[in-house]
Amino acid sequence: MKRFAQLAGIAVVGVTAVVAGAFFAHSNAATHLVNSGSPQGRALASRILAALPHDGLTAVDFAPPPTGLLDHPAADDSWLELTITKDEDLSDAVWRANLLASTFQAEAAQAGADLLEGYSIRIAGSAATSSVGDFVKMIPSPAALTHPGVPPDVGVAEADIGRRLRAGALAAGVDLRSVRFFTTPELAFEATVAVNDPAGFVKTSPGRLYKLLGDDSGYDAREIRVTDQHGHLVMLSTFNNDLSAGSTWIRPDLQGLGGTLGGFTLPRS
């Protein structure tokens, strides 16, 4: 229950089995996304991105932190600027950016890269004029990251999470449609569930999601995609254990029904 209380905060994978050719194509695409930064930073960011889905992500740039944001000197490569297409849900992008940033922060010293101060996400084509972009988040130092108890055997961890989700889906009254696991090397998963009554689910979503998840132990990050029976997105609920940061997106016509987890909306074009 201790993790569930944090779901309301808005702060805001490679797939375990892939064909080799598809993986290398994915890796090359990730490399081309990182446009600037030190060789060490670019290599580390590209390696992490190669293990994540990045549809809608058009660029990743290293830069100095935005002027006036910090009260101490910072390295020129200590800020990540991510650009996404405006058709993508911001909540989804934030979850992905949190996982990229927390993995990068944990491995930066070993890779010889500068530690991150934070990141911003810019939505391509948006009218935002803020110097820090459309969304900004500070990243704690490696020592301040929360380290969840993830089993060292990834296969065991995935099997346990799968069992918990299947049991949780029954308890929550939802259909578990799919589960995908990703390692960055942090352990993350994306689960899709379908519901018969989207409005009813949103009204009772805190309790239903807790029944589905139990808690957020045993993994570094997760994304729950809630759809209707036709596959249309109803809600996104994400959480990153290392950063103790989560986000919620709720379909615009279902906003304000009560019991929602502080959702925010990015209109689609």
Side-chain angles (χ1 to χ4, degrees), residues 95-183:
W95 177 75
R96 195 177 316 167
N98 280 341
L99 187 54
L100 167 62
S102 63
T103 305
F104 189 100
Q105 197 78 325
E107 300 200 350
Q110 185 176 356
D114 291 325
L115 293 176
L116 293 177
E117 297 283 354
Y119 70 82
S120 54
I121 298 175
R122 186 178 71 86
I123 305 168
S126 72
T129 57
S130 168
S131 63
V132 296
D134 300 291
F135 182 92
V136 65
K137 180 171 176 60
M138 306 301 294
I139 302 298
S141 67
L145 291 174
T146 302
H147 297 290
V150 179
D153 188 321
V154 173
V156 170
E158 291 179 359
D160 180 61
I161 292 167
R163 284 192 296 268
R164 287 163 54 187
L165 288 173
R166 288 190 294 273
L170 289 174
V174 300
D175 298 329
L176 181 63
R177 293 292 176 87
S178 65
V179 182
R180 294 196 301 166
F181 291 96
F182 312 94
T183 52

Side-chain angles (χ1 to χ4, degrees), residues 27-45:
S27 178
N28 288 337
T31 300
H32 294 313
L33 288 173
V34 186
N35 300 316
S36 62
S38 68
Q40 296 89 340
R42 292 181 67 177
L44 178 56

